[in-house]
Amino acid sequence: MLKYQNIAQKIYDSIYQQQLPKGSQLANIEELINQYQVSRTTIVKALARLERQGVIYQVQGSGIFVRQRKKSGYLNLATSHGFTDDLGDLPGFTQVLAFDVIRPNTEIQANLNCNSDEEIYYIKRLRYADGKIYGLEHSYYRKKLIPYLNKEIAKGSIFEYITQTGQINIGFSDKYIELLTIDESTARYLKLPVSSTALFMHEIFYTSAGEPFDFSTIIYHKDNAKFCVQSHAK
Amino acid sequence: MLKYQNIAQKIYDSIYQQQLPKGSQLANIEELINQYQVSRTTIVKALARLERQGVIYQVQGSGIFVRQRKKSGYLNLATSHGFTDDLGDLPGFTQVLAFDVIRPNTEIQANLNCNSDEEIYYIKRLRYADGKIYGLEHSYYRKKLIPYLNKEIAKGSIFEYITQTGQINIGFSDKYIELLTIDESTARYLKLPVSSTALFMHEIFYTSAGEPFDFSTIIYHKDNAKFCVQSHAK
DNA sequence: GAGTGGTCTAGACCACAAC
DNA sequence: TTGTGGTCTAGACCACTCC
């Protein structure tokens, strides 16, 4: 782990171990340099990371302060890798409805930037959080980039699996959100009336080398899914 | 304007002037150092900024590449200051339904971190984009932090006004998103049936000094509002 | 004016990719 | 092995806040 990441983590931990309320002032940069025995640049970089994550904010000429933590139960769209990752505060559960290797149709080809003969994992899952139906997800993973998956892994977090086994380094993602009217089949899964309105998310995840490896669409239950974006102008 | 911001802007401009397609490789860091006659750190910082904005991605050992631009018509939740700012590609229009100075109720006090006797601008606006009803917005601004506003300014972009007049430096924001069933009054404004489902956003903007200055709730028209988040793991 | 964050430099060295 | 991005250092100086 890199120095600046390490220091960012330690500062983060100390904030939440001490349960510092929003607005609390942290040690200044000079003190942090002494405390961690690194150069100024490294401290500044660690702080920039925490600022981007919504943990702190810095005020020139004044100090470093703790930012308000996001409300519990809201999925952070900027930092989360989908679902399991960010709802740690709520007990989750996943039901795998389909797990197959398929050939991509033109929509999938366009989103994953692949040919029609490439092998693709297709996974359909129903997600629960806090005992409630959270969303219905259709995912497509390129087998070429993720050589091994199975139904058991799909019950948990695929992202956790592929990153921890070193198969994939996640780089960046594009997420598109809109509302749609659900069809009969989706309505059955979400236990909602046909023609209900739901939040629809279309997302593509790329490796750190810039290759798309996951295309997913998720239809979220209108009453149970909530989202959050904490951003910073700097 | 700071060097690294300036360079980031120039690189950004050159990408879109040349209409470089996604995946195009840019000059390497050494070349950029020569081209702009600055230190390595400054180039790296400019590139980090562009990467955060979703413009480029960098691959260690390989190069710097142009990222896919977000689809047109989707409001970028991570970078936008609401509405006018980010839908530059679509013609917009705003109808001001109310413009008053009020005293905050407890909900507004909690969100703006102020007392019950502080003066607050209350602005109710109906937003249009591309000729369609986009959303109904209720905004609360602290008069203490934004001394002057009027109905004319509210027809345009309040954010543009307060930043360009130097009244406010925007620091960061919290946005919360969920779905709700609209009431009769909202339904009339949005020209939708009562009990339609709509996307509801609750947002708070803070100054760079960490003071909340704007609390807004927006009910977006289910058929016309679309959103996007481009994020980066680094 | 004293204190605090932010920018910038020049240069060394590390990590990863492509050949 | 070479080229490329990424990290880290020590130190100078700038910009802003608060007293």
Side-chain angles (χ1 to χ4, degrees), chain A residues 194-209:
Chain A
V194 182
S195 304
S196 297
T197 301
L199 189 144
F200 176 76
M201 184 135 73
H202 169 132
E203 54 185 30
I204 304 173
F205 283 88
Y206 299 80
T207 67
S208 56

Side-chain angles (χ1 to χ4, degrees), chain A residues 24-225:
Chain A
S24 308
Q25 186 160 5
L26 302 186
N28 68 28
I29 292 183
E30 281 310 318
E31 283 180 60
L32 293 170
I33 289 171
N34 287 326
Q35 194 173 332
Y36 293 104
Q37 290 294 310
V38 295
S39 75
R40 182 183 187 81
T41 313
T42 303
I43 293 293
V44 167
K45 207 167 177 185
L47 294 172
R49 187 181 170 88
L50 292 170
E51 199 165 38
R52 230 176 339 110
Q53 292 170 350
V55 178
I56 60 164
Y57 60 95
Q58 299 182 78
V59 185
Q60 191 165 18
S62 182
I64 305 161
F65 305 90
V66 176
R67 184 159 163 188
Q68 174 143 40
R69 218 212 283 232
K70 84 165 169 71
K71 294 191 239 173
S72 161
Y74 288 76
L75 187 72
N76 190 323
L77 290 175
T79 62
S80 82
H81 305 321
F83 168 82
T84 325
D85 184 30
D86 195 52
L87 262 67
D89 33 6
L90 303 179
F93 173 74
T94 298
Q95 186 183 349
V96 180
L97 302 171
F99 184 97
D100 296 299
V101 175
I102 62 162
R103 305 290 158 151
N105 63 24
T106 51
E107 186 199 6
I108 298 165
Q109 287 169 48
N111 282 290
L112 289 179
N113 194 28
C114 68
N115 294 323
S116 60
D117 58 352
E118 196 179 311
E119 287 185 313
I120 303 289
Y121 284 115
Y122 165 60
I123 299 162
K124 180 176 174 183
R125 300 190 287 185
L126 193 56
R127 309 290 217 151
Y128 296 79
D130 205 19
K132 296 173 194 151
I133 295 172
Y134 198 76
L136 177 66
E137 179 187 68
H138 300 262
S139 296
Y140 304 90
Y141 290 88
R142 294 172 75 184
K143 199 162 185 296
K144 185 181 166 188
L145 297 175
I146 299 167
Y148 187 69
L149 274 184
N150 63 34
K151 202 167 167 176
E152 200 54 42
I153 295 166
K155 277 189 196 166
S157 168
I158 292 177
F159 273 69
E160 199 177 300
Y161 171 76
I162 60 179
T163 50
Q164 288 191 357
T165 57
Q167 288 187 62
I168 290 271
N169 284 311
I170 299 173
F172 49 93
S173 63
D174 293 337
K175 297 178 187 172
Y176 293 94
I177 297 161
E178 52 206 275
L179 301 192
L180 59 61
T181 303
I182 61 177
D183 61 22
E184 205 182 317
S185 155
T186 305
R188 268 200 303 275
Y189 284 117
L190 297 183
K191 300 213 169 89
L192 285 170
V194 182
S195 304
S196 297
T197 301
L199 189 144
F200 176 76
M201 184 135 73
H202 169 132
E203 54 185 30
I204 304 173
F205 283 88
Y206 299 80
T207 67
S208 56
E211 280 194 296
F213 69 90
D214 167 29
F215 162 53
S216 296
T217 63
I218 310 165
I219 300 162
Y220 288 97
H221 190 293
K222 71 183 176 64
D223 298 329
N224 304 334

